Amino acid sequence: MVMDLSPASTLSGIIPAYIEDSWKRCQSFGIKTTNMDLDSTLGEYEMRDYVDRYAELLHYSSPILEDMFQDIVGTDFLVLVATPEGYVINSIGNDTFLQEVDRVALCKGANWLEQYKGTNAIGTAITEKKPVVVHGSHHYCRDNHFLTCTASPIFGPSGEVLGIINMSSYKYNFHPYSLGLVKRAAHSIEQALYIAGMKKEQKEEPVSGDLDFIYDHHPSSLITVNEGGIITRMNFSASKILGSKMVGEPVGAVFEQLDSPSLGWVKEQKLRFKNHIFTTHIMSDSQDGIRQLLLRGEKMGEYGELTNRYSFQDILCDDPRVQETIEMARKVALLDINVLLSGESGTGKELFAQSLHGASLRSDKPFIAINCSAIPESLLESELFGYEKGAFTGAKSGGQAGKFEAADEGTLFLDEIGDMPLAAQATLLRVIQERCVTRIGGISPRPVNVRIIAATHKDLLKEIEAGRFRADLYYRLNGFTLKLPSLRERRDLLLLADHVLSHLPFAKTKPVLSEEAKSFILGYDWPGNFRQLQNVLQQASLLADFRPIERSLLASLCPSSAGHYQESVLQQKLEREEEGDWGPVGRCLKSNEAACIRQTLEQVNGNISQAAKRLNIGRNTLYRKIRAYKISL
């Protein structure tokens, strides 16, 4: 049977030969289609062992996984890396989808070999040693029929499987780009590991052919420097950071440590430029002995050393309230005090946190982020404060520094601080007060100088009243509070929508919104904020298939319950007011407001933007009032 991975064949029921072969293997294993093994999962200490064992794979695959996820962010997808033994060791995905696949153990630590999970992309790619697509009912176990998965092996120079990269989603999200995207990502990881292997083995091989290949395919920033200290070549990634005009210039103009005299010859070292760390590699031509210096740059933070990727200039807005918050944040950034960011999920709290760090006096130091809700309670303290050798079974032989030590002299971003367990809160308070951290299993305190930016979507004062958050910690963290507005409070929704539509990874031309679609965007409440707006517009653009995006399509992609709930609450409020909760004065004010809106709309011939400006309210607020007062447009 000829293997055909096109959407038509996969969705029409034609079964590729590798799927048939896999089903036969599953039957020989004695696997039942109705009973999938969910217990083959690593414990926390076993997981640490695998993370240590595959540290190199994790290091070089993490930035590629991040870039891959950015291409599909806002959609119901996840991307992951698994070991040759089938264990998932890293995954990134949409929060809602991650919760959904957790019920079938598609998560870190789970084993997805065929003998445990039946026919699936990870296990079948390991066995077949080739890229595969496993769609819907092609999965052997029925519990996985809701998935579509694409996986590709990551090969070493000798053809050995070093790991697996996989991309999964709901089966109705099947898309032809999946296979190509996964194969390119696997190839990029292979090249990243290849150049690392060249350095490790200290081979002296001809440079030109290798660099031609690496420059074309490597995801990192690459710079070549000759013996005279002149930059002779850069790949596209590096040119975006340094600027293409730097070719022919002395490398010392960029890296002061590499002035010309020092190139006789440098040893491996790490150099900082903006938000990248460049590692030096000496390359020699075995024929004429000419040496060159290869600088490989990685974004800091791919494995625990993140400086800010964003600045205040990256915050897109045309809303007075957001602009006021930005100006306030610029001033606070220079004060070197702890900051608490408050706002609903999807309002840009991490964007503000990174911008605060970038505008601070610590901008050249590490920015370390940790999501307090994403780490199991049993591991949170070791992640924050580190541990000593022998602190517990499976601990690294030399111990492990925590996030506080990693962020020393820089900024520590504690996301979702409201979900931190009380025990960890007590330890965190002590560290903030004493400016010292003691590793788990240790006795010697280590001084740390860290600025903390904390973020939460919860009302911490209510959490304090409920006994779930410490009041003393709250006042330590709350040096200054920045409240980020939700999308329904902003006046620039169409600007944000235009930005999303202008940066779709799969669209050759920018999709167009009909006027009714624009009205829907302005009138909908967007409970998921920017993430939901981005998700809906991406899906709508794909489904519109080059036609204008209509209101009905957007409405079909938005949870109706959220909009109905908001309208219901507003209607109940109006009914209470009409029944006398506000009294005669309140009813008079309401009547006057409705009349004022009608009059303004008549003056501007129904132009919502002009009416909102005259009334000094947001357009989405105006739309809600029009609905509430049942004003005809």
Side-chain angles (χ1 to χ4, degrees):
M1 181 181 292
V2 178
M3 183 174 65
D4 183 358
L5 292 178
S6 68
S9 67
T10 307
L11 297 177
S12 64
I14 298 175
I15 301 176
Y18 63 80
I19 296 291
E20 292 183 346
D21 293 340
S22 176
W23 275 58
K24 291 175 183 178
R25 288 192 296 270
C26 294
Q27 290 170 352
S28 69
F29 293 146
I31 300 174
K32 295 181 180 179
T33 60
T34 57
N35 188 19
M36 186 170 62
D37 181 358
L38 300 178
D39 297 326
S40 298
T41 303
L42 297 172
E44 59 184 74
Y45 302 128
E46 294 173 312
M47 185 66 181
R48 287 181 183 275
D49 180 59
Y50 268 84
V51 167
D52 289 345
R53 192 186 311 176
Y54 290 97
E56 192 171 44
L57 174 64
L58 277 169
H59 178 77
Y60 291 105
S61 65
S62 292
I64 295 166
L65 218 62
E66 289 278 0
D67 289 342
M68 191 177 173
F69 181 65
Q70 289 306 313
D71 290 337
I72 56 175
V73 69
T75 58
D76 291 321
F77 275 88
L78 72 82
V79 288
L80 61 83
V81 168
T83 70
E85 299 87 358
Y87 288 107
V88 179
I89 55 173
N90 193 14
S91 66
I92 310 173
N94 171 269
D95 291 340
T96 304
F97 186 61
L98 287 176
Q99 293 176 3
E100 182 70 18
V101 297
D102 191 58
R103 65 183 177 86
V104 293
L106 188 55
C107 56
K108 291 181 184 179
N111 191 301
W112 277 77
L113 288 178
E114 287 181 336
Q115 53 262 47
Y116 299 115
K117 301 295 191 297
T119 303
N120 71 89
I122 299 170
T124 303
I126 290 173
T127 301
E128 296 284 339
K129 293 189 175 181
K130 65 183 179 184
V132 300
V133 175
V134 180
H135 176 75
S137 59
H138 288 178
H139 289 90
Y140 188 80
C141 295
R142 294 179 186 175
D143 286 347
N144 293 328
H145 284 189
F146 73 100
L147 293 169
T148 184
C149 304
T150 307
S152 176
I154 301 164
F155 292 109
S158 304
E160 72 277 21
V161 176
L162 302 179
I164 295 289
I165 186 165
N166 173 85
M167 183 165 134
S168 297
S169 186
Y170 293 112
K171 65 180 180 181
Y172 55 73
N173 280 341
F174 185 95
H175 198 283
Y177 69 68
S178 301
L179 185 61
L181 181 60
V182 169
K183 287 169 67 175
R184 286 195 298 272
H187 192 60
S188 296
I189 297 170
E190 289 167 1
Q191 297 311 309
L193 291 168
Y194 171 68
I195 191 174
M198 290 171 59
K199 174 189 73 70
K200 187 180 296 183
E201 296 175 12
Q202 298 181 342
K203 292 181 179 179
E204 293 187 350
E205 298 182 356
V207 175
S208 58
D210 288 335
L211 285 181
D212 284 338
F213 183 73
I214 294 169
Y215 269 64
D216 288 339
H217 297 87
H218 201 280
S220 302
S221 303
L222 299 177
I223 305 168
T224 308
V225 182
N226 65 18
E227 285 188 304
I230 302 299
I231 297 175
T232 59
R233 191 174 182 183
M234 295 189 300
N235 67 356
F236 177 70
S237 178
S239 68
K240 289 196 297 183
I241 303 168
L242 274 68
S244 57
K245 294 183 180 180
M246 288 306 299
V247 174
E249 296 295 323
V251 69
V254 182
F255 305 101
E256 294 180 359
Q257 305 94 319
L258 294 180
D259 53 351
S260 295
S262 70
L263 295 185
W265 257 74
V266 298
K267 295 182 179 180
E268 179 180 322
Q269 56 183 300
K270 295 186 181 297
L271 310 169
R272 185 189 298 267
F273 183 79
K274 293 184 177 178
N275 62 335
H276 282 66
I277 287 288
F278 284 83
T279 305
T280 60
H281 306 275
I282 300 173
M283 312 287 285
S284 299
D285 191 312
S286 58
Q287 294 181 345
D288 54 24
I290 294 177
R291 287 182 293 184
Q292 298 185 74
L293 189 66
L294 180 67
L295 294 157
R296 178 174 58 82
E298 303 285 354
K299 272 187 180 179
M300 291 182 288
E302 290 154 354
Y303 216 64
E305 255 193 357
L306 176 68
T307 60
N308 58 302
R309 287 176 292 185
Y310 303 108
S311 65
F312 288 118
Q313 288 79 11
D314 295 314
I315 301 177
L316 183 70
C317 79
D318 186 23
D319 178 88
R321 183 172 176 183
V322 179
Q323 290 170 344
E324 182 181 345
T325 305
I326 291 173
E327 291 307 310
M328 196 179 302
R330 289 181 187 275
K331 297 176 183 178
V332 174
L334 297 170
L335 298 180
D336 203 33
I337 59 175
N338 294 337
V339 178
L340 182 62
L341 299 173
S342 174
E344 297 176 8
S345 296
T347 51
K349 294 189 288 294
E350 181 157 2
L351 181 59
F352 265 83
Q354 293 195 25
S355 300
L356 281 163
H357 173 76
S360 74
L361 302 176
R362 300 172 181 258
S363 60
D364 61 335
K365 302 300 181 182
F367 175 95
I368 305 296
I370 183 170
N371 189 320
C372 300
S373 67
I375 299 176
E377 183 175 350
S378 58
L379 298 179
L380 184 58
E381 291 197 34
S382 63
E383 285 288 328
L384 279 172
F385 313 121
Y387 58 85
E388 294 288 5
K389 172 183 177 181
F392 44 77
T393 304
K396 286 185 179 180
S397 58
Q400 175 69 51
K403 301 297 186 185
F404 264 93
E405 290 181 67
D408 192 27
E409 302 295 333
T411 302
L412 179 62
F413 176 46
L414 300 176
D415 199 8
E416 300 301 350
I417 188 71
D419 294 315
M420 178 177 282
L422 283 168
Q425 290 179 34
T427 309
L428 174 61
L429 177 64
R430 187 172 65 251
V431 171
I432 295 173
Q433 289 174 334
E434 299 175 0
R435 293 181 173 270
C436 289
V437 62
T438 302
R439 294 182 181 182
I440 294 174
I443 56 174
S444 301
R446 301 166 185 258
V448 288
N449 177 11
V450 173
R451 180 192 197 177
I452 294 177
I453 300 175
T456 181
H457 69 280
K458 295 183 175 181
D459 185 332
L460 291 187
L461 293 177
K462 289 184 178 179
E463 293 297 297
I464 291 171
E465 291 178 3
R468 292 187 293 266
F469 201 84
R470 294 180 62 111
D472 45 6
L473 177 59
Y474 170 78
Y475 291 112
R476 283 285 183 178
L477 295 173
N478 189 15
F480 194 90
T481 295
L482 289 172
K483 177 72 169 68
L484 307 189
S486 61
L487 242 61
R488 60 184 168 275
E489 299 172 286
R490 295 178 60 160
R491 302 183 184 182
D492 56 357
L493 285 179
L494 293 183
L495 175 67
L496 299 178
D498 184 75
H499 174 77
V500 173
L501 295 174
S502 300
H503 293 80
L504 294 173
F506 52 80
K508 294 181 180 179
T509 58
K510 187 175 76 173
V512 176
L513 291 167
S514 71
E515 290 303 316
E516 292 77 11
K518 292 179 181 178
S519 298
F520 177 83
I521 290 173
L522 294 172
Y524 186 64
D525 288 306
W526 302 109
N529 292 294
F530 184 75
R531 291 195 190 100
Q532 184 189 8
L533 176 67
Q534 186 180 49
N535 189 341
V536 168
L537 289 176
Q538 285 180 337
Q539 294 183 60
S541 301
L542 194 62
L543 294 171
D545 195 22
F546 305 110
R547 296 187 299 272
I549 297 173
E550 300 293 344
R551 182 190 190 283
S552 57
L553 178 55
L554 294 180
S556 69
L557 295 171
C558 292
S560 59
S561 59
H564 290 161
Y565 173 76
Q566 294 292 339
E567 291 180 5
S568 173
V569 170
L570 184 56
Q571 186 61 38
Q572 290 174 17
K573 181 179 178 181
L574 291 175
E575 290 173 358
R576 286 196 304 270
E577 293 170 357
E578 290 171 357
E579 290 169 1
D581 286 5
W582 282 48
V585 175
R587 286 194 294 275
C588 181
L589 288 172
K590 278 176 47 55
S591 178
N592 288 341
E593 183 179 53
C596 180
I597 291 173
R598 288 191 182 93
Q599 182 181 0
T600 304
L601 287 169
E602 290 175 2
Q603 292 172 352
V604 297
N605 296 318
N607 187 305
I608 295 295
S609 296
Q610 292 183 22
K613 286 181 180 179
R614 291 195 179 192
L615 294 167
N616 196 29
I617 60 176
R619 285 171 293 186
N620 45 340
T621 301
L622 177 56
Y623 269 108
R624 286 200 298 274
K625 289 182 179 293
I626 289 171
R627 291 201 308 270
Y629 297 139
K630 299 179 181 179
I631 299 173
S632 299
L633 291 175

